[in-house]
Amino acid sequence: NALNTLSESGFSNIATTNVTSKRALYVNKATGSNSNSGTNASPYATIQYALSQVTEGDTVIISDHTYNETLNITSNFSNIVIGSKFIQDGDTAHTNAAIIDAVNTAWASIHISSTSGLTFYGVTLKNAKGRLLSAAADTITFKNCKISS
């Protein structure tokens, strides 16, 4: 099935983590490629590329790595989740190991426009100078996240 749904992706604890999704897109910095399909077996390499592929209600699941990326979220879709594998198993170790690192950017490391209902779930956001995010979105939620310098 081309649609990588949560039930096909092993989301056995989905009720526990309270995340519902139409489709899961996977990111793994070490083994992924942006020419892959974004499934668990064939993940993308960058969060930004995964975000360019999202549609309404999708979840982007990032593996336990440090991602030195500035994210520009310009999707017109709503109810997008960016989370670690914490979503799948409830293991808080993923929150500490799945890191979006702004690498001391002088401006916001996450730019959000034209989206509604964005959730960051079980990730660490760090090293943003000044602002962590710049947003025009009307609803941004952080669940089980860690924010640090």
Side-chain angles (χ1 to χ4, degrees):
N1 186 333
L3 187 63
N4 185 26
T5 61
L6 296 180
S7 60
E8 292 171 337
S9 302
F11 273 51
S12 60
N13 293 332
I14 199 69
T16 303
T17 57
N18 198 27
V19 173
T20 57
S21 179
K22 182 176 75 173
R23 178 175 67 145
L25 301 173
Y26 290 84
V27 178
N28 187 313
K29 179 181 172 179
T31 63
S33 168
N34 288 342
S35 61
N36 284 349
S37 60
T39 63
N40 194 23
S42 185
Y44 296 129
T46 64
I47 302 167
Q48 184 62 57
Y49 187 78
L51 289 170
S52 74
Q53 304 302 304
V54 298
T55 60
E56 183 85 21
D58 282 352
T59 296
V60 175
I61 299 175
I62 63 174
S63 292
D64 294 352
H65 296 286
T66 298
Y67 298 86
N68 299 317
E69 298 186 45
T70 296
L71 303 179
N72 293 299
I73 305 169
T74 58
S75 168
N76 288 321
F77 302 109
S78 62
N79 302 316
I80 304 300
V81 175
I82 301 170
S84 69
K85 291 191 175 192
F86 173 82
I87 291 171
Q88 294 173 306
D89 61 19
D91 184 349
T92 57
H94 295 300
T95 301
N96 292 322
I99 301 167
I100 301 171
D101 190 336
V103 291
N104 295 311
T105 55
W107 185 240
S109 59
I110 301 170
H111 306 278
I112 303 167
S113 62
S114 304
T115 193
S116 174
L118 176 67
T119 300
F120 289 90
Y121 207 131
V123 296
T124 293
L125 305 162
K126 70 181 222 176
N127 288 332
K129 283 186 179 175
R131 297 182 188 177
L132 174 63
L133 70 99
S134 168
D138 60 359
T139 305
I140 302 168
T141 305
F142 296 88
K143 293 182 179 181
N144 298 83
C145 289
K146 180 179 173 184
I147 299 172
S148 67
S149 55

